[in-house]
Amino acid sequence: MATRMNALDWLSLALVIIGGLNWGLIGALRFDLVAAIFGEMTLLSRIIYILVGLAALYMLYFATRVGSSDRADETRTTTARK
């Protein structure tokens, strides 16, 4: 049984993708998209950075939740085949 994603899962995934793309731009082009849009270290840009960090922490929890769900499904499937 696949784990269904709720709104928080989708929001966190989107923020982590945005953060990853921003870091890719910083590494490749030395261009900080968040700072370009919201200003360098303004309150709003700091909130964006904090939300991306919190989303990354939540994705750690999400990954363990999905991983444990997959193991449970695998155990059920293996047991049912015996």
Side-chain angles (χ1 to χ4, degrees), residues 11-21 51-57 59:
L11 177 63
S12 296
L13 181 60
L15 285 170
V16 168
I17 290 170
I18 290 167
L21 292 173
L51 289 174
V52 168
L54 290 172
L57 290 174
M59 283 288 105

Side-chain angles (χ1 to χ4, degrees), residues 22-41:
N22 193 54
W23 275 109
L25 287 170
I26 291 169
L29 305 174
R30 293 185 179 178
F31 178 71
D32 186 344
L33 184 61
V34 173
I37 294 172
F38 300 109
E40 191 161 332
M41 283 299 136

Side-chain angles (χ1 to χ4, degrees), residues 33-74:
L33 184 61
V34 173
I37 294 172
F38 300 109
E40 191 161 332
M41 283 299 136
T42 62
L43 179 61
L44 191 53
S45 66
R46 291 183 65 200
I47 289 170
I48 299 294
Y49 292 131
I50 290 168
L51 289 174
V52 168
L54 290 172
L57 290 174
Y58 180 78
M59 283 288 105
L60 288 172
Y61 161 74
F62 176 78
T64 59
R65 188 179 80 197
V66 169
S68 65
S69 173
D70 287 346
R71 282 191 296 274
D73 289 343
E74 185 178 299

